[in-house]
Amino acid sequence: MGQRCGKQHDQPIPKGREESKKAKQSSLHLFFFLSLFSTLCFFFAVRFLSTSSSSLSFFGDKEIAFYNNYTSHSWHRHSPCSFLSNNSSICCDRTSYHSDICFMSGDVRTHSHASSVVLYPPSNVTINRNSSAEEKIRPYPRKWEGIIMDRISELRLRAAAPQDAPHPCDVRHDVPAIFFSAGGYTGNVFHAFNDAILPLYITSHRLRRRVVLVVLNYHHWWFIKYREILAGISDYPPIDFSNNTRTHCFPGAVAGLRFHGTLAIDPAKLSDETMSMQTFQHMLEEAYNEPKETKPPRRPKLVVVSRGATRVVENEGEVVQLARAVGFDVEVLRPTDRMPMARVYASLSRCDAMMGVHGAALTHFLFMRPGATFIQVIPLGVKNVADTCYRDPAVRAGLRYAEYEVLPRESSLSRKYGADDVVVRDPERVQGKKAWDVTKQVYLEGQNVTLDIRRLRKTLARVFETVVADRRRLLNL
Ligand SMILES: *[C@@H]1O[C@H](CO)[C@@H](O)[C@H](O)[C@H]1NC(C)=O
Ligand SMILES: *[C@@H]1O[C@H](CO)[C@@H](O)[C@H](O)[C@H]1NC(C)=O
Ligand SMILES: *[C@@H]1O[C@H](CO)[C@@H](O)[C@H](O)[C@H]1NC(C)=O
Ligand SMILES: *[C@@H]1O[C@H](CO)[C@@H](O)[C@H](O)[C@H]1NC(C)=O
Ligand SMILES: *[C@@H]1O[C@H](CO)[C@@H](O)[C@H](O)[C@H]1NC(C)=O
Ligand SMILES: *[C@@H]1O[C@H](CO)[C@@H](O)[C@H](O)[C@H]1NC(C)=O
Ligand SMILES: *[C@@H]1O[C@H](CO)[C@@H](O)[C@H](O)[C@H]1NC(C)=O
């Protein structure tokens, strides 16, 4: 079923406005970004010099073979498109509840003004009429949620008809393309990973970075924010589909992304074991390229992920003091839009434990090393979302998991409604049928917590013992 995680924090990315809101941040990073990519761009400029070929079917056997290898081996179980034939064809797999995905094999060219991707047959092949049928796809993995899918641009995929005018290439790429949307909710970090980065990793992994990302609903700041990770997925600069009217030609294309579950890569969906959360974590490690620590750190490190407006820990100072008293080296981290992901990665990839109140920032557990402990603080009335959004994915990713469920007396809802109010005593009853709306307004947006230091001490002490025991075991290996 579909997940509601993270969405409560962010409205869908509006067209344009978000750009200006983030413009300052973007310009901060722009110089670095440009200097990073100018080297790449120079390289590609050389490749693109001989680009305006108008002959059809100019892709070499090697390129086609590479792409066929991707589509024709049934690496994804139960896909009707597992055996896409060599000759020009379009195949869409619409069997998933979360996302559609289409494959095009052959001479693929963009017509961005018509929101189209067109497949041209090899010059000596006459295409059969039926293959000129059009497929439509919104390449964002929340098919079940119409309200957001309406905001995702639609892509039209079709085979060229004999009467089509020739459509010469302006830019010829010798690797395939993946078309996906970076719109929707991806302004929120949970959704950035859940709806874009992980599905992109799953869909592209076999292409070993030999893939061009062609992006619908492109937002420049997003590509700056996640640039290191995206460079671990594709060796090429991304293309803003709707703002790039040149004709880009590819030896094949994928439109849409595979989705395996909430913040998940599920090897059971694959016919072999080429990828998993561990390979994803390894990719992140290379992407951020943190220097290895030379000295073993003195004390176990706990990162407290802090929130500023909703679900605030009102006695955070005391909590930090407690954690120090228990024996941890404590870092308080408040991830903001402006904070470079590399900074967040540096903190979390090295910590032994991370603690935070349920919320999108906990998505950064993806940066922790397997075996580290993730402590989720769960306010009243959000146990279900806490479990599905973070507990289950974290456990699947190989983390140790601990939780601290707040009691009514630790919740600001007791002050607001009184300890005997049904809102406090029986959240499930209040949530009733309109579960999501109430959860969002009352329990997610209307609640702060004051943690009971005596009670929390037990949780932290237990985690501390585990961390120390793990370290000892590692040292004795
Ligand atoms: C096809 O895939 C297999 C397995 O992933 C790989 O060993 C082989 O080199 C690939 N061939 C091409 C032409 O990319
Ligand atoms: C694709 O073409 C190659 C030769 O180019 C052939 O060996 C192979 O069987 C074809 N595969 C399919 C699925 O048609
Ligand atoms: C394309 O593939 C179909 C079946 O996969 C085959 O019947 C047809 O002959 C092929 N066409 C060409 C031109 O290879
Ligand atoms: C089309 O031309 C290519 C190369 O010129 C050739 O290898 C291929 O067999 C031809 N296909 C058909 C269906 O004639
Ligand atoms: C084309 O499609 C129609 C119906 O969609 C079908 O009846 C017909 O057999 C198809 N023709 C070919 C050549 O596949
Ligand atoms: C389109 O791209 C140009 C540069 O390539 C940029 O200056 C412009 O802001 C972009 N427009 C939009 C709407 O993104
Ligand atoms: C929670 O704390 C924040 C920061 O102190 C405050 O702005 C907000 O109004 C508080 N919310 C509630 C429901 O108490």
Side-chain angles (χ1 to χ4, degrees):
M1 286 293 111
Q3 286 315 321
R4 292 296 202 170
C5 322
K7 167 182 162 180
Q8 61 274 11
H9 311 283
D10 266 33
Q11 293 306 307
I13 294 188
K15 278 211 158 86
R17 206 195 55 169
E18 195 72 17
E19 290 284 357
S20 59
K21 198 178 111 192
K22 308 273 178 172
K24 248 188 183 158
Q25 177 204 1
S26 303
S27 61
L28 274 179
H29 299 301
L30 193 60
F31 175 73
F32 179 71
F33 184 71
L34 287 180
S35 54
L36 181 74
F37 275 96
S38 59
T39 22
L40 287 177
C41 290
F42 172 72
F43 178 63
F44 293 114
V46 175
R47 278 164 67 163
F48 293 155
L49 281 179
S50 56
T51 54
S52 50
S53 156
S54 63
S55 93
L56 301 171
S57 100
F58 45 60
F59 291 108
D61 289 348
K62 233 175 69 197
E63 291 138 21
I64 302 282
F66 180 75
Y67 181 73
N68 280 342
N69 204 21
Y70 173 74
T71 49
S72 72
H73 288 66
S74 71
W75 63 276
H76 211 273
R77 288 184 196 276
H78 313 302
S79 168
C81 299
S82 287
F83 295 96
L84 187 62
S85 74
N86 293 343
N87 54 20
S88 300
S89 52
I90 301 176
C91 176
C92 291
D93 177 353
R94 300 187 189 273
T95 57
S96 157
Y97 176 75
H98 291 94
S99 69
D100 292 336
I101 185 168
C102 299
F103 301 91
M104 300 169 91
S105 166
D107 177 358
V108 171
R109 304 182 181 201
T110 59
H111 288 218
S112 72
H113 57 272
S115 300
S116 295
V117 185
V118 182
L119 182 63
Y120 286 81
S123 48
N124 54 355
V125 171
T126 44
I127 51 164
N128 99 42
R129 279 252 166 249
N130 284 14
S131 67
S132 53
E134 186 175 271
E135 296 277 2
K136 291 184 176 168
I137 181 169
R138 294 181 197 268
Y140 188 70
R142 289 180 90 77
K143 212 171 121 179
W144 53 274
E145 194 176 6
I147 198 168
I148 196 66
M149 291 307 277
D150 287 346
R151 306 178 66 114
I152 303 294
S153 303
E154 189 171 65
L155 203 55
R156 301 161 57 193
L157 315 178
R158 64 182 180 86
Q163 67 273 14
D164 272 5
H167 191 62
C169 300
D170 297 317
V171 184
R172 183 189 148 180
H173 305 265
D174 56 17
V175 299
I178 291 183
F179 290 79
F180 76 103
S181 169
Y185 298 125
T186 61
N188 169 283
V189 67
F190 169 84
H191 289 284
F193 281 92
N194 190 63
D195 303 351
I197 292 170
L198 277 161
L200 202 48
Y201 178 79
I202 292 168
T203 312
S204 69
H205 182 67
R206 295 218 152 200
L207 296 168
R208 286 168 270 144
R209 298 204 304 273
R210 294 180 58 193
V211 59
V212 175
L213 307 182
V214 185
V215 186
L216 284 73
N217 314 109
Y218 181 93
H219 296 273
H220 191 55
W221 65 265
W222 197 88
F223 284 82
I224 291 174
K225 179 163 181 169
Y226 298 106
R227 65 179 177 272
E228 295 95 342
I229 301 179
L230 293 165
I233 287 177
S234 161
D235 280 340
Y236 303 82
I239 294 171
D240 174 356
F241 180 69
S242 52
N243 189 29
N244 192 319
T245 51
R246 292 188 297 173
T247 301
H248 290 264
C249 300
F250 302 94
V254 181
L257 300 174
R258 295 263 189 219
F259 184 87
H260 281 184
T262 305
L263 297 177
I265 296 171
D266 181 3
K269 290 194 160 61
L270 307 169
S271 57
D272 55 19
E273 286 172 14
T274 51
M275 75 181 111
S276 60
M277 286 310 278
Q278 281 67 45
T279 63
F280 179 72
Q281 283 157 343
H282 187 68
M283 186 274 284
L284 293 178
E285 201 177 313
E286 297 197 330
Y288 288 111
N289 194 23
E290 275 296 306
K292 288 261 179 293
E293 272 180 301
T294 46
K295 279 188 297 186
R298 313 101 342 222
R299 307 208 297 168
K301 181 176 152 191
L302 171 74
V303 174
V304 172
V305 175
S306 167
R307 297 178 58 91
T310 58
R311 277 160 282 146
V312 170
V313 175
E314 290 166 336
N315 59 339
E316 190 174 272
E318 275 185 287
V319 168
V320 168
Q321 265 179 16
L322 167 69
R324 294 210 167 104
V326 164
F328 283 107
D329 206 359
V330 181
E331 177 188 344
V332 177
L333 182 74
R334 184 177 291 184
T336 62
D337 283 348
R338 284 164 175 273
M339 183 177 286
M341 290 305 269
R343 162 85 182 73
V344 180
Y345 187 83
S347 290
L348 289 175
S349 62
R350 288 202 186 121
C351 75
D352 298 285
M354 179 255 269
M355 176 168 77
V357 180
H358 169 78
L362 299 187
T363 307
H364 296 116
F365 81 74
L366 291 167
F367 293 173
M368 296 166 74
R369 55 176 175 72
T373 304
F374 170 20
I375 308 164
Q376 182 170 209
V377 175
I378 307 179
L380 289 190
V382 302
K383 173 75 174 137
N384 286 345
V385 279
D387 288 353
T388 48
C389 302
Y390 302 108
R391 179 194 69 182
D392 298 347
V395 169
R396 278 196 307 259
L399 297 185
R400 289 184 187 277
Y401 177 80
E403 66 189 22
Y404 183 89
E405 258 194 279
V406 309
L407 298 175
R409 61 183 156 80
E410 297 170 275
S411 167
S412 66
L413 294 175
S414 293
R415 293 198 301 261
K416 181 164 176 192
Y417 294 90
D420 289 335
D421 195 278
V422 64
V423 166
V424 173
R425 285 209 339 258
D426 197 354
E428 272 178 37
R429 213 176 107 206
V430 174
Q431 286 161 345
K433 284 207 178 77
K434 290 197 142 190
W436 179 249
D437 293 336
V438 175
T439 303
K440 180 172 175 327
Q441 281 170 33
V442 177
Y443 296 99
L444 288 168
E445 288 170 2
Q447 181 174 201
N448 287 342
V449 295
T450 300
L451 304 184
D452 176 338
I453 295 298
R454 284 235 315 273
R455 201 160 80 88
L456 181 64
R457 181 190 298 274
K458 287 187 197 137
T459 305
L460 287 184
R462 209 176 48 215
V463 170
F464 185 79
E465 274 167 30
T466 319
V467 168
V468 169
D470 280 352
R471 289 180 147 216
R472 208 169 285 142
R473 201 170 313 128
L474 275 176
L475 282 177
N476 291 340
L477 277 183

